């Protein structure tokens, strides 16, 4: 079961715990140092006051909160010089807070002592506090000397971190993150590795290239007053420069490709000489619309001064290269960087970027996630054990109840409230009766006789609860509260319950119960009793409830009953009868189905609203609302009547229902007065009521709820993180981001840090990775390039650590849930898979009956077909044809002329392939039978797919031949053409690895379906809400100057266009599409800005008109994008593990064999004479040098130096640096050559190459280096003409030296091993990716091949680089879409309205295009990438296991045989002392346990108490690791053959 982080006993600040029984009275707090400052004991007066003060955390929390408020009130634009009163007041507060924190520090130091293990500075959090206080002191002392260091002021920002230590659950989460740091350190090393390698390559290849611009010719002169910019700029600002390719490089763009100048929409065509001919008629020139095309004179490409994006993007030195690489890895804006480089250098540079994305984004970032997730579950278990131990320690002071897992929180609260109510009533009754009796009989004898009244009845109240397990975690049951102790109640209540006479309703119950489990539950779920199906038998269906006489609806009724006469009793019986009937109705499945239908219909009626809907529809919807509200109110009343108030409230679902009903009624009443449209949104929550009717969904929701407490803690952490970074951002970038508008005035950018609200929004936007690069460029331009550190830190901590922690929490929740559910699901599991296999293959091909009645069972033809199919080459031949067919599909594109050879070739090949596949299908059908029989053709789903594709091809050919005459059926043809692109799917069934992956995916469709349903519920709720908030408001005016336009009529009057944004909320369909774009986190910022600016229907938007709408967008992103979509990872990972379980056994066996082989090899090696025994002394010396640890360290140091020198190169470097670097390179090369020679001498040629793989790499590196140096020398001396690119490549290849570092870094190597082991499976995934891309690319060419970008149709996402013109470009474009970079822009461009004259334009694009893109993004981004995570996780687990086993193996060997060369140790089973076998770990050979001489042990073995005293004892066997201490006198080299001691009596 899942550990709830929140249920630890509240840790007293720095460990002040209750004194344990029998503790020392001198030391009341055993966790603190007994003496501080050498003289203060725990009971001495100043110290015990301090301890008491420190124990109370509330004042500290309050001050921290106050500090957060004052920090947030900082306003960067006004408070620069601090002249206003507000600022001065804040300053005073600041001083107060500083003094407070300093006092706190002193108090803690007195209470805890300063240095030492249990003291103040022993705790990390206290060290943080100490650092903050010290920084404050420095700041104040500098203020006195009037030095203003803003860097130190920013340390204040860290103060909110002090809150973490005060909130236990948050502290646990943060400790968890700190636990993952060692493993994450390895990932970071790997990152550095990637960064260095790619950075150095980038600098070597492209330094200074992005400065290239097209300049005017040298001797270009203009007469007259025309001012021309020095180089060509496409726009006024230099945001998107035109980068050209120098003559040496073969980039895509040259200066001749500059488009002609346009003025007022017309192309200019005159040259400058024509102007002089006209001369005087300059005015006529403008009037006639002719103008000079100045652009044709920019035709010299040379290096300019500025880099693109305000100088932020370039490869001029390693720092800038790293910024670019980081941006590429975050997948935001990487495409345009790639296009710049392709323009300037060469088309093939896309390989660099795609490699970087695969290595960086898909592997490294996911490794981060995997490491955090695996570590998380381990730490979780450790914390859990700790908690249980603590519980046992605290047992003296707590009840047994805390042993049980904490139940449902709601249940506990409810029971507690009931308990208090009952107690209060009992007290009141007792008091009342005591008063009564005192009044009636003042005599002493009467009082006792009246007393038993309430007392006797008590068991009856109790009976209901006492049968339940005592509510865990709830102190309600603790004895002091109860007038009666626990135990006596139990038997009485049991008696009462078992005696049917005591309960008139028992008979009803008995007759009614059996139908219980069958009926669908009405959600009366009593989660405490753990039922998930049926009614959870009305809380165990015990008689306990019935023994309450059905009076739970009003607790007072009992007394009335007792004092009532027969008539009243009759009424009571009738009432009980009706209640039983009502309960029957409410519990029946028809009632529930009716409610469910009502909810569905209600959802539809809410979703039907849209912009410009007719008046009648509005009225109908209003009536519907009233009807549905009354229905749900009726349901609520019925349930109340049937169950009574308390039972109704027991179920949290009912409370949810009743709240919705009350709000709906309130809203209908409120509507009469007008207003209250906010309440309408609560109607939407009815959609969530559906969850109660779907058990599968409920399980997912239970996981959600179980992880809820962790997620809440995580959200607190996230808030804190965002808050700190926002304030830091305000201090660094406040009031510095501004934009120039067209009119020339400056306005602040929308993404700014000028106030706390916008700083938080900007930080949140950077965390969603959307357009963060724009903020980065602004920050670097407005402050300094070092500002990039802020953004990198924000992205790294926020995205790659915090959000991965969220995923880890969810994945862990699922795994905990699954391990429980697995046991039940095991039998059903095997059946699902058979369906998707090829049908069960009975060995060989038995002859089937009835293979189409044409062929006799033993027909010759049929036997022939069977032999063909059974031949092993058959599948390969078919595969070859499929691949050929794929190639022809890839060649298709819309622009091929009808009569050309290409078109004829494609048509003919299409006929041929169709014929071949029809042939294959016929063969199979004839030999297997079509439908009847075990293995018939249609019994396997893969065959059905094949058959369908063949069928489509035949129809396609028939239709195209038929329509050759008239082009009537063009639409049908187009559809068939599109289906043709699905043919590559045939590959799947013929590639076993691929088939496994696909079957995994398909089997996880069902659980993924559940999550999709949850997603849909949220989407629909937010969609309907969005329609109500924004319908008709997303229109705006398009024109030259729209500043004075306020509404639609103004716009039409000015002859401008009134258009709507492509993504809007006018109806539910549009809203869902916009929300999908939001959820994919690409382009959501612009939709949010449109929402913030919207004013009203037919009004021109005003910037930031309604900032409250931020709530809608950000809550959607948090709930759906971060939370629900991350559950995808959980589900995919969990299913992947399930699917691999039947392969697990196989793998474990293989691993075991490998381990035994390695063990054997090592043992043999240990027994054989080593190869260096025969060396002469000099060679031995060299050998020992080569194998020594110090050589490795030295070489590592040299390599690191070398990497540093390589990364020092930069653009425009001085010649002195160049010479220095050259000599450095000579030196390093010499060292590497020497190393290689020494090793060759030491190991000999054969062993050098065969035994040590790393040596091959070393030698290759040496050869490359030497070759590079010689080539450079040749070129400098101009002996031979050498292509400079070759030299450049040789210099780039030097980077291979970095790989030698891998030999040293073991932790990193383990990670890399993980990746390498996962490669085969990731390879299959890659194949699947390729298949997906292939199909979608072919489809894209068919659908969007003719879309063009021009002035009439400006493009937002497509460009000359990103198009669907031919297959290759479509492939690259889809890669861009799958990384999520500006895919929403590309989708916008395909949503074009058709003009009537274009025949090529598909009229249905409006519907097809969202389908195409949404399906692609879903499969590529959400499902497939998550499978990569699953694979990596699996293998990381495995490699951890293997590493552990290796360590154990070494220990075993070390224990058994001393590695002295030449000696042959005796095997363990010959050891004296009577070794006896002992069962080892499952699946391992029996490990022997030998008796070993153990002296009085000095270091106890891991996890075992040290046995004092001497005597024989069994060797500690822990999972195969020998843990016995070695006797101090035996040197390691001698094999341990212990003497047989005389057993002492103590043994």
């Amino acid at each position: 079961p899942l550990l709830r982080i929140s249920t630890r006993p509240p840790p007293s600040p720095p460990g002040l715990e209750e004194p344990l029984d029998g503790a020392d009275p001198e030391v009341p707090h055993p966790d603190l140092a007994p003496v501080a400052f050498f003289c203060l004991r725990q009971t001495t007066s100043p110290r015990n006051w301090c301890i008491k003060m420190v124990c109370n955390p509330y004042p500290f929390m309050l001050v921290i909160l106050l500090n957060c408020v004052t920090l947030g009130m900082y306003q960067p634009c006004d408070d620069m010089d601090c002249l206003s009163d507000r600022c001065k007041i804040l300053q005073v507060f600041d001083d107060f807070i500083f003094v407070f924190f300093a006092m706190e520090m002193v108090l803690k130091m007195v209470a805890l002592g300063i240095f030492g293990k249990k003291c103040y500075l022993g705790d990390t959090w206290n060290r943080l506090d100490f650092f903050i206080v010290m920084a404050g002191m420095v700041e104040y002392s500098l203020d006195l000397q009037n030095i203003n260091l803003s860097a130190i002021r920013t340390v204040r920002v860290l103060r909110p971190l002090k809150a973490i230590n005060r909130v236990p659950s948050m502290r646990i989460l943060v400790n968890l993150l700190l636990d993952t740091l060692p493993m994450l350190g390895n990932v970071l090393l790997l990152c550095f590795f990637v960064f260095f390698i790619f950075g150095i390559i980038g600098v070597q290849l492209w330094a200074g290239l992005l400065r290239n611009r097209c300049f005017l010719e040298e001797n270009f002169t203009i007469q007259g007053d025309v001012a021309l910019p020095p180089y060509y700029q496409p726009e006024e600002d230099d945001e998107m420069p035109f980068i050209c390719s120098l003559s040496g490089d073969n980039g895509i763009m040259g200066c001749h490709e500059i488009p002609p100048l346009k003025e007022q929409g017309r192309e200019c065509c005159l040259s400058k000489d024509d102007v002089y001919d006209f001369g005087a008629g300059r005015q006529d020139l403008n009037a006639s619309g002719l103008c000079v095309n100045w652009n044709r004179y920019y035709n010299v490409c040379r290096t300019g001064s500025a880099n693109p994006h305000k100088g932020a993007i370039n490869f001029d030195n390693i720092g800038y290269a790293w910024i670019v690489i980081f941006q590429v890895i975050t997948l935001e804006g990487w495409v345009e960087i790639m296009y710049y480089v392709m323009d300037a250098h060469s088309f093939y540079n896309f390989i660099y970027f795609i490699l970087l994305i695969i290595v960086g984004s898909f592997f490294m970032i996911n490794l981060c996630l995997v490491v955090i997730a695996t570590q998380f579950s381990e730490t979780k278990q450790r914390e859990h054990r700790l908690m249980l131990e603590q519980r046992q320690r605290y047992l003296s002071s707590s009840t047994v109840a805390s042993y049980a897992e904490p139940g449902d929180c709601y249940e506990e609260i409810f029971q507690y409230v009931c308990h208090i109510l009952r107690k209060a009533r009992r007290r009141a009754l007792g008091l009342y009766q005591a008063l009564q009796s005192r009044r009636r009989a003042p005599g002493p004898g009467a009082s006792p006789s009246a007393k038993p009244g309430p007392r006797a009845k008590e068991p009856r109240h109790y009976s209901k609860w006492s049968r339940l397990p005592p509510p865990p975690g709830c102190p309600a049951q603790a004895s002091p509260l109860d007038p009666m102790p626990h135990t006596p109640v139990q038997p009485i209540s049991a008696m009462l319950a078992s005696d049917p006479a005591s309960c008139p309703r028992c008979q009803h119950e008995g007759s009614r119960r059996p139908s219980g489990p069958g009926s669908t539950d009405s959600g009366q779920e009593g989660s405490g009793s753990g039922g998930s199906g049926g009614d959870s038998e009305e809380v165990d269906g015990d008689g306990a409830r019935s023994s309450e006489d059905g009076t739970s609806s009003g607790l007072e009724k009992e007394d009335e009953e007792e004092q009532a006469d027969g008539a009243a009793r009759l009424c009571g019986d009738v009432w009980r009868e009706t209640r039983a009937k009502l309960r029957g109705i409410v519990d029946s499945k028809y009632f529930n189905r009716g409610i469910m239908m009502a909810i569905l219909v209600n959802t539809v009626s809410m979703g039907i609203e849209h912009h410009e809907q007719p008046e009648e529809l509005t009225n109908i919807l209003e009536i519907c609302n009233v009807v549905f509200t009354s229905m749900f109110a009726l349901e609520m009343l019925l349930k109340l009547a049937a169950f009574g108030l308390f039972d109704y409230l027991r179920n949290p679902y009912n409370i949810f229902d009743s709240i919705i009903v009350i709000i709906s009624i309130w809203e209908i009443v409120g509507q009469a007065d007008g207003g209250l449209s906010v309440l309408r949104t609560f109607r939407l929550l009815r959609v969530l009521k559906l969850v109660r009717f779907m058990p599968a969904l409920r399980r997912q929701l239970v996981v959600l709820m179980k992880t809820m407490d962790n997620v809440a803690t995580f959200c607190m952490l996230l808030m804190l993180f965002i808050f700190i970074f926002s304030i830091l951002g305000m201090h660094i970038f406040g009031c510095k981001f501004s934009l120039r508008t067209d009119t020339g005035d400056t306005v602040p950018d929308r993404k700014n840090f000028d106030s706390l609200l916008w700083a938080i929004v900007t930080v949140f936007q950077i965390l969603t990775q959307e357009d963060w690069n724009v903020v980065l460029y602004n920050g670097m331009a407005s402050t300094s390039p070092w500002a990039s550190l802020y953004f990198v830190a924000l992205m790294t901590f926020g995205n790659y650590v915090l959000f991965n922690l969220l995923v880890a929490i969810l994945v862990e929740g699922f795994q905990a849930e699954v391990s429980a559910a697995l046991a039940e699901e095991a039998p059903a599991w095997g059946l699902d898979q058979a369906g998707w296999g090829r049908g069960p293959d009975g060995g060989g091909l038995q002859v089937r009956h009835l293979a189409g009645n044409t062929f006799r069972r033993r027909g010759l033809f049929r036997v022939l077909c069977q032999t063909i199919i059974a031949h092993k080459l058959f599948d390969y031949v078919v595969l070859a044809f499929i691949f050929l067919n794929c190639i022809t599909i890839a060649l298709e594109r819309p622009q091929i002329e009808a009569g050309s050879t290409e078109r004829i070739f494609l048509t003919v090949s299409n006929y041929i392939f169709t014929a071949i596949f029809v042939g294959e299908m016929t063969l199979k059908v004839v030999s297997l039978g079509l439908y009847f029989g075990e293995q018939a053709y249609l019994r396997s789903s893969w065959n059905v797919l094949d058959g369908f594709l063949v069928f489509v091809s035949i129809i396609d050919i028939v239709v195209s031949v038929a329509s050759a005459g008239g082009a009537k059926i063009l639409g049908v043809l187009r559809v068939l053409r599109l289906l043709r692109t699905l043919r590559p799917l045939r590959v799947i069934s013929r590639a076993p690895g691929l088939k496994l992956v696909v079957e995994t995916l398909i089997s996880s469709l069902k659980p993924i379906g559940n999550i999709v349903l949850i997603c849909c519920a949220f989407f629909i709720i937010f969609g309907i809400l969005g329609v109500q908030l924004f319908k008709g408001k997303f229109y705006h005016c398009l024109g030259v100057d729209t500043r004075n336009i306020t509404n639609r009529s103004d716009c039409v009057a000015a002859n401008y266009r009134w258009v709507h944004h492509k993504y809007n909320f006018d109806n539910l369909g549009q809203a869902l599409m916009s929300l999908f774009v939001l959820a994919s986190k690409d382009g959501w910022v612009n939709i949010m800005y449109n929402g913030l600016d919207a004013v009203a229907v037919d009004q021109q938007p005003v910037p930031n008109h309604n900032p409250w709408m931020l709530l809608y967008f950000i809550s959607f992103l948090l709930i759906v994008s971060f939370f629900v979509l991350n559950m995808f990872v959980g589900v995919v990972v969990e299913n992947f593990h399930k699917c691999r379980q039947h392969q697990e056994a196989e793998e474990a066996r293989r691993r075991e064999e490998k381990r035994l082989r390695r063990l054997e090899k090592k043992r043999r090696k240990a027994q054989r004479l080593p190869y260096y025994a025969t060396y002469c002394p000099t060679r031995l010396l060299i050998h020992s040098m080569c194998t020594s640890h110090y050589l490795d360290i030295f070489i590592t140091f040299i390599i690191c130096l070398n990497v540093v020198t390589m990364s020092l190169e930069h653009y425009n470097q001085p010649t002195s640096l160049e010479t220095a670097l050259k000599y450095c390179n000579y030196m390093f090369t010499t060292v590497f050559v020497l190393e290689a020679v020494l090793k060759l001498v030491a190991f000999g040629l054969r062993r050098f190459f065969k035994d040590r793989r790393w040596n091959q790499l070393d030698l290759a590196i040496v050869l490359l280096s030497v070759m590079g140096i010689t080539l450079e020398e040749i070129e400098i001396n101009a002996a031979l003409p050498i292509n400079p690119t070759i030299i450049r490549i040789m210099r780039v290849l030097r980077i291979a030296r970095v790989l030698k570092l891998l030999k040293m870094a073991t932790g990193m190597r383990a990670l890399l091993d993980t990746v390498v082991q996962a490669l085969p499976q990731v390879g299959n995934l890659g194949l699947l990716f390729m298949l997906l891309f292939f199909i979608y690319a072919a489809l894209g060419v068919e659908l969007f091949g003719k879309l063009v970008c021009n002035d009439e149709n400006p493009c937002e996402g497509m460009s000359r680089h990103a198009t669907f013109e031919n297959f290759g470009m479509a492939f690259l474009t889809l890669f861009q879409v799958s990384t999520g970079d500006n895919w929403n822009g590309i989708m916008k461009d395909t949503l074009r309205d058709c003009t009537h004259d274009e025949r090529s334009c598909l009229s249905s694009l409006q519907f097809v295009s969202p389908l195409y893109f949404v399906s692609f993004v879903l499969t590529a981004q959400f499902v497939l990438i998550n499978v990569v995570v699953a694979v990596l996780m699996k293998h990381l687990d495995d490699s951890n296991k293997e590493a552990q086993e290796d360590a154990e193996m070494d220990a075993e060997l070390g224990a058994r045989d001393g590695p002295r060369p030449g000696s042959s140790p005796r095997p363990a089973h010959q050891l004296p002392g009577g070794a006896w076998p002992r069962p080892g770990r499952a699946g391992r050979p029996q490990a022997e346990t030998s008796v070993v001489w153990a002296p009085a042990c000095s270091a106890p073995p891991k996890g075992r108490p040290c046995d004092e005293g001497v005597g024989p004892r069994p060797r500690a066997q822990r999972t195969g690791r020998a843990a016995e201490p070695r006797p101090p006198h035996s040197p390691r080299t001698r094999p341990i053959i212990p003497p047989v001691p005389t057993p002492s009596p103590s043994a």
Side-chain angles (χ1 to χ4, degrees), residues 782-803:
S782 62
T783 51
S784 81
W786 291 105
S788 55
L789 287 179
Y790 169 84
F791 294 100
V792 170
L794 176 55
M795 292 285 288
T796 321
F797 288 128
N799 255 319
Y800 302 138
V801 178
L802 269 184
F803 281 137

Side-chain angles (χ1 to χ4, degrees), residues 1373-1387:
T1373 310
L1374 282 180
F1375 187 74
Q1376 173 184 342
V1377 171
S1378 75
T1379 61
D1381 189 17
N1382 201 9
W1383 73 269
N1384 70 310
I1386 297 179
M1387 180 162 92

Side-chain angles (χ1 to χ4, degrees), residues 834-894:
W836 267 90
R838 275 191 159 237
D841 279 335
L845 291 151
Q846 296 109 13
V847 186
R848 320 287 175 290
H849 305 290
L850 300 168
N853 298 330
T854 351
F855 305 110
R856 289 198 317 286
R857 195 179 305 171
R858 279 268 165 235
L860 238 178
F861 182 56
R862 186 164 182 200
V863 174
L864 180 72
C865 289
Q866 283 170 3
T867 44
I868 293 178
I869 288 185
H871 198 285
K872 62 176 182 290
L873 281 181
F874 179 74
D875 267 354
Y876 290 113
V877 173
V878 175
L879 253 183
F881 279 123
I882 293 175
F883 278 124
L884 286 175
N885 190 10
C886 287
I887 294 172
T888 60
I889 289 178
L891 291 177
E892 284 274 0
R893 59 183 197 282

Side-chain angles (χ1 to χ4, degrees), residues 1201-1237:
L1201 268 183
N1202 192 0
V1203 170
V1204 171
T1205 56
M1206 282 201 296
S1207 53
L1208 282 179
E1209 288 192 35
H1210 56 93
Y1211 173 69
N1212 257 349
Q1213 57 191 15
T1215 41
S1216 54
L1217 180 68
E1218 204 159 316
T1219 347
L1221 290 181
K1222 193 164 115 184
Y1223 287 124
C1224 280
N1225 184 31
Y1226 289 170
M1227 190 186 78
F1228 293 134
T1229 312
T1230 324
V1231 171
F1232 293 139
V1233 171
L1234 260 175
E1235 183 205 15
V1237 170

Side-chain angles (χ1 to χ4, degrees), residues 741-997:
T741 52
D742 309 334
T743 49
D745 42 354
T746 53
V747 291
D749 193 345
R750 299 281 306 244
K751 309 172 183 55
N752 60 44
F753 289 90
D754 296 351
S755 68
L756 184 65
L757 173 71
W758 282 104
I760 287 179
V761 174
T762 310
V763 169
F764 184 75
Q765 175 196 328
I766 294 172
L767 285 184
T768 61
Q769 300 191 6
E770 168 57 12
D771 274 351
W772 76 273
N773 50 346
V774 181
V775 192
L776 169 80
Y777 305 149
N778 279 340
M780 285 168 70
S782 62
T783 51
S784 81
W786 291 105
S788 55
L789 287 179
Y790 169 84
F791 294 100
V792 170
L794 176 55
M795 292 285 288
T796 321
F797 288 128
N799 255 319
Y800 302 138
V801 178
L802 269 184
F803 281 137
N804 284 345
L805 178 67
L806 173 66
V807 179
I809 291 174
L810 291 171
V811 168
E812 209 264 346
F814 270 108
Q815 282 174 346
E817 187 64 20
V818 170
S819 47
L822 257 184
E824 307 148 25
E825 286 178 22
W829 168 239
L831 303 175
D832 299 350
Q833 270 199 319
W836 267 90
R838 275 191 159 237
D841 279 335
L845 291 151
Q846 296 109 13
V847 186
R848 320 287 175 290
H849 305 290
L850 300 168
N853 298 330
T854 351
F855 305 110
R856 289 198 317 286
R857 195 179 305 171
R858 279 268 165 235
L860 238 178
F861 182 56
R862 186 164 182 200
V863 174
L864 180 72
C865 289
Q866 283 170 3
T867 44
I868 293 178
I869 288 185
H871 198 285
K872 62 176 182 290
L873 281 181
F874 179 74
D875 267 354
Y876 290 113
V877 173
V878 175
L879 253 183
F881 279 123
I882 293 175
F883 278 124
L884 286 175
N885 190 10
C886 287
I887 294 172
T888 60
I889 289 178
L891 291 177
E892 284 274 0
R893 59 183 197 282
Q895 283 86 355
I896 304 177
E897 300 296 318
S900 60
T901 37
E902 201 179 349
R903 169 55 59 218
I904 294 168
F905 165 72
L906 287 176
T907 320
V908 173
S909 63
N910 185 26
Y911 293 159
I912 296 172
F913 284 123
T914 308
I916 289 171
F917 293 133
V918 169
E920 183 218 13
M921 183 177 164
T922 339
L923 279 177
K924 282 196 174 165
V925 170
V926 168
S927 62
L928 303 177
L930 184 66
Y931 187 71
F932 298 102
E934 262 296 279
Q935 286 200 320
Y937 185 75
L938 291 181
R939 284 297 165 91
S940 148
S941 6
W942 295 111
N943 282 344
V944 173
L945 180 71
D946 285 3
F948 170 71
L949 291 172
V950 169
F951 188 61
V952 167
S953 312
I954 296 174
I955 295 183
D956 179 23
I957 290 180
V958 171
V959 172
S960 57
V961 169
S963 70
K968 282 275 179 279
I969 342 177
L970 221 136
V972 185
L973 227 162
R974 199 70 188 269
V975 173
L976 293 169
R977 272 281 237 354
L978 295 182
L979 283 174
R980 202 193 287 174
T981 54
L982 294 179
R983 284 183 195 172
L985 285 177
R986 290 181 180 149
V987 178
I988 297 176
S989 63
R990 292 169 178 80
L994 201 59
K995 200 161 142 190
L996 182 79
V997 172

Side-chain angles (χ1 to χ4, degrees), residues 164-175:
I164 294 178
N165 193 27
R166 306 291 188 292
V167 183
S169 52
M170 202 140 88
R171 190 169 65 210
I172 291 180
L173 262 194
V174 173
N175 283 343

Side-chain angles (χ1 to χ4, degrees), residues 1165-1186:
K1165 211 170 172 185
Q1167 291 174 8
R1168 224 175 34 223
L1169 264 178
Y1171 60 89
Y1172 48 81
T1174 56
Y1175 283 7
C1176 64
T1178 348
R1179 199 169 170 191
L1180 252 180
L1181 181 74
I1182 295 177
H1183 181 270
S1184 56
M1185 197 171 98
C1186 284

Side-chain angles (χ1 to χ4, degrees), residues 1155 1158-1167 1445-1459 1465 1515 1520-1522 1526 1532 1535-1536:
R1155 201 184 75 91
R1158 282 193 352 242
L1159 200 72
E1160 207 33 56
K1161 203 167 154 194
K1162 278 194 174 173
R1163 202 174 279 148
R1164 272 211 311 277
K1165 211 170 172 185
Q1167 291 174 8
E1445 281 171 10
D1446 272 4
E1448 286 164 11
M1449 192 165 79
D1450 289 347
E1452 236 172 83
L1453 277 177
R1456 289 185 184 178
D1457 359 275
R1515 177 191 291 173
R1521 176 182 301 174
R1526 189 165 277 105
R1532 249 211 77 153
I1536 302 173

